[in-house]
């Protein structure tokens, strides 16, 4: 049912866990199955993703997908990371059964949610800075 890569990523995820100093955290949930995925990113001042970690309450496909997604976006700029889709994740995982495709979509959505959070935080910082300087 699952490729060797999916099983390996599920059993030995490389990027599982939270992250101290994360400056972007995105959480998404899947209404259909009730699973939750949280993505933590450390984005540097040049807009490059230095590190990516995740916590997923979900199935084997969801865990493998997020783990792979983390590897895919590490070292990429924000713009490059936004172009990563679940198809890229699936290519590396070796496909998923059709009823598990939505799990890989959560990985894609969690990247976007984390980047959205990053922009919100930056906006707040800029507003704070402009108040101080006023
Ligand atoms: Fe819910 Fe995979 S994430 S079944």
């Amino acid at each position: 049912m699952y490729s060797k890569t999916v099983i390996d990523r599920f059993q030995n995820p490389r990027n599982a866990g939270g992250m101290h100093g994360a400056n972007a955290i995105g959480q998404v949930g899947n209404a259909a199955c009730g699973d939750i995925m949280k993505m933590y990113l450390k984005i540097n001042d040049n807009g490059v993703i230095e590190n990516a970690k995740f916590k997923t309450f979900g199935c084997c496909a969801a865990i493998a997908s997020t783990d792979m997604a983390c590897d895919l976006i590490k070292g990429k700029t924000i713009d490059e990371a936004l172009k990563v889709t679940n198809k890229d994740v699936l290519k590396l995982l070796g496909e998923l059964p059709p009823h598990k495709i939505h799990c890989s979509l959560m990985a894609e959505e969690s990247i976007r949610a984390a980047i959205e959070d990053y922009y919100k935080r930056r906006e707040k910082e800029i507003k704070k800075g402009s108040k101080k300087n006023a």
Side-chain angles (χ1 to χ4, degrees), residues 33 35 59 62 100 102-103 106:
C33 62
D35 292 340
C59 70
K100 290 287 180 180
H102 76 270
C103 317
M106 279 175 74

Side-chain angles (χ1 to χ4, degrees), residues 120-134:
K120 277 187 195 157
R121 288 174 190 230
R122 285 207 37 171
E123 211 172 287
K124 268 188 198 166
E125 278 171 26
I126 291 167
K127 275 185 190 163
K128 250 192 221 170
S130 62
K131 272 184 191 168
K132 269 185 197 167
N133 296 332

Side-chain angles (χ1 to χ4, degrees), residues 7 9 11 15 23 36 38 42 52 54 65-66 72 75 79 88 96 105 107 110 115-116 129 131:
I7 292 167
R9 288 281 173 165
Q11 290 179 332
N15 306 296
N23 56 359
I36 295 170
K38 208 165 182 177
K42 174 75 186 142
F54 76 94
S65 295
T66 337
L72 266 170
D79 286 347
D88 301 314
L96 286 172
L105 264 174
S110 68
I115 291 173
E116 206 173 290
K131 272 184 191 168

Side-chain angles (χ1 to χ4, degrees), residues 18-74:
M19 187 196 296
H20 286 291
N23 56 359
I25 302 173
Q27 182 173 310
V28 293
N30 187 304
C33 62
D35 292 340
I36 295 170
M37 192 178 276
K38 208 165 182 177
M39 172 86 67
Y40 302 83
L41 304 179
K42 174 75 186 142
I43 302 174
N44 70 20
D45 293 341
N46 298 321
V48 174
I49 298 168
E50 286 183 348
N51 200 5
K53 305 271 270 178
F54 76 94
K55 283 185 186 173
T56 293
F57 177 79
C59 70
C60 159
I63 290 166
S65 295
T66 337
D67 192 50
M68 192 59 92
C70 286
D71 275 353
L72 266 170
I73 60 173
K74 272 192 248 176

